Amino acid sequence: MARLNLILVWLFFSTLCLYYCPSSAQLSRHHYAKTCPNVENIVREAVKKKFHQTFVTVPATLRLFFHDCFVQGCDASVLVASTGNNKAEKDHPDNLSLAGDGFDTVIKAKAAVDAVPLCRNKVSCADILAMATRDVIALAGGPFYEVELGRFDGLRSKASDVNGRLPQPEFTLNQLNSLFAANGLTQTEMVALSGAHTVGFSHCNKFSKRVYNFKSKSGVDPALNEKYASQLKSMCPRNVDPRIAIDMDPTTPRAFDNVYYRNLQQGKGLFTSDQVLFTDSRSKATVNAFASSSKIFRANFAAAMTKLGRVGVKNAQNGNIRTDCSVI
């Protein structure tokens, strides 16, 4: 208990960076104060409208932001459509499962912003995606945090750039740490950002090996809770329709909370890359800390999202502001 308290104290002070650490040079919370002063409210209202149409808006938009930032930085390159002579990021196999509702959220928010004459073609798609992501998290009950703004949209989007840049369901802790470190993120920040799976969903083929073809006597991953493994088999029988998707948090799938970490403590992590956060002693203490304190998790998640939003930011020299988010 004493060790857990020490970890909680350390995690609390580490989040102070959210407020006191310098941001990326060009980013500011007041970037559009003169050019589009009401931009955050405009985006929030558009996102709220989409959220009321379908809850999928939440995980879809959140995942879109991660997949954007991890490939060439937070520059809206994942939104670009392929053309006859260019296969864009969104058409890479790792991105084909990105739900259309995420793209639609950004498209609708962009249209709402550009409908205001003062704001037309002044706000980047990258910033709209960053704001929309914050808003869906808050709408699902997660932390509301200030978003740094001032990103420009990228001038490149190639499917080949995605190779090796996104975390895979079967990743070990070393692989996760390596990938996140390449984006300037620590292990603690990686564990915090993994908490986004509290509202995620997955297609059966992403984890079926854990319940049917695992190298064990039973064919089931021993790290999986037995009852949970049985539930997964019933929801995802062999040769299931590939379009079937299930919730990554079997307990509170529509609430952005810290129950994801409590699930890990019970062997209910859907992916190997989820459960390893608890089974590996190097990250177990952080999982326990987030599981025991919603406040600490929320603060760490907000701080990690802010830091993630600074990755690979483009400026006026290597970016621009798209009039259509799908076209460079």
Side-chain angles (χ1 to χ4, degrees):
M1 182 59 76
R3 185 165 183 263
L4 178 59
N5 287 336
L6 282 173
I7 292 168
L8 288 171
V9 170
W10 177 79
L11 287 170
F12 171 74
F13 282 108
S14 70
T15 62
L16 293 178
C17 192
L18 174 63
Y19 305 102
Y20 300 113
C21 287
S23 66
S24 176
Q26 75 188 57
L27 298 183
S28 159
R29 291 172 185 170
H30 310 291
H31 181 78
Y32 297 106
K34 292 182 180 176
T35 53
C36 184
N38 204 32
V39 65
E40 294 199 50
N41 286 330
I42 297 169
V43 169
R44 190 171 302 124
E45 286 306 308
V47 172
K48 201 181 290 183
K49 195 173 179 181
K50 177 70 181 174
F51 171 77
H52 288 310
Q53 291 171 358
T54 172
F55 183 82
V56 176
T57 301
V58 179
T61 306
L62 187 45
R63 191 161 176 247
L64 196 60
F65 182 67
F66 280 123
H67 282 231
D68 183 40
C69 293
F70 265 53
V71 181
Q72 302 295 323
C74 308
D75 63 354
S77 52
V78 75
L79 302 175
V80 175
S82 294
T83 59
N85 57 4
N86 179 62
K87 186 178 179 182
E89 286 178 28
K90 69 183 292 188
D91 288 320
H92 184 278
D94 285 352
N95 282 333
L96 292 178
S97 61
L98 288 171
D101 287 301
F103 294 94
D104 193 47
T105 299
V106 178
I107 289 167
K108 286 186 166 141
K110 166 76 169 167
V113 170
D114 285 349
V116 178
L118 182 67
C119 303
R120 189 168 300 140
N121 301 330
K122 301 282 176 59
V123 183
S124 70
C125 299
D127 276 345
I128 288 173
L129 176 55
M131 286 183 275
T133 301
R134 181 270 312 277
D135 293 335
V136 295
I137 290 165
L139 284 166
F144 180 88
Y145 54 92
E146 296 293 334
V147 175
E148 296 172 342
L149 302 167
R151 300 167 190 79
F152 279 70
D153 296 323
L155 303 177
R156 169 193 176 100
S157 180
K158 293 191 175 294
S160 56
D161 290 338
V162 180
N163 295 333
R165 299 281 179 86
L166 296 171
Q168 300 300 315
E170 69 281 357
F171 266 15
T172 63
L173 188 70
N174 285 344
Q175 289 173 306
L176 288 169
N177 280 337
S178 177
L179 193 64
F180 277 72
N183 290 291
L185 298 159
T186 66
Q187 177 178 288
T188 298
E189 289 161 342
M190 178 273 289
V191 176
L193 291 171
S194 296
H197 283 175
T198 186
V199 289
F201 59 87
S202 169
H203 292 93
C204 297
N205 66 339
K206 295 295 183 182
F207 61 84
S208 58
K209 285 181 184 176
R210 296 190 72 200
V211 292
Y212 291 116
N213 303 307
F214 199 81
K215 290 180 180 178
S216 67
K217 195 173 180 180
S218 65
V220 177
D221 185 345
L224 267 176
N225 176 293
E226 281 187 34
K227 188 176 178 183
Y228 182 50
S230 296
Q231 291 171 343
L232 293 178
K233 282 185 174 182
S234 67
M235 290 186 283
C236 292
R238 291 180 188 273
N239 304 316
V240 68
D241 184 333
R243 293 169 297 181
I244 296 295
I246 69 164
D247 296 317
M248 298 194 72
D249 177 350
T251 313
T252 57
R254 292 196 166 207
F256 196 99
D257 53 27
N258 66 333
V259 172
Y260 165 80
Y261 301 100
R262 294 179 195 167
N263 290 336
L264 299 186
Q265 292 174 322
Q266 299 167 39
K268 295 180 181 179
L270 188 62
F271 293 162
T272 299
S273 56
D274 290 312
Q275 196 57 51
V276 75
L277 303 180
F278 184 72
T279 56
D280 195 305
S281 60
R282 293 170 293 170
S283 51
K284 186 174 185 176
T286 306
V287 169
N288 287 337
F290 290 160
S292 70
S293 172
S294 175
K295 184 178 181 182
I296 295 295
F297 162 58
R298 291 164 70 90
N300 274 268
F301 184 82
M305 285 295 286
T306 299
K307 193 171 173 183
L308 174 63
R310 298 169 183 168
V311 174
V313 169
K314 305 299 186 291
N315 54 40
Q317 281 67 53
N318 61 359
N320 61 18
I321 293 176
R322 289 182 214 143
T323 54
D324 179 338
C325 292
S326 67
V327 180
I328 293 177

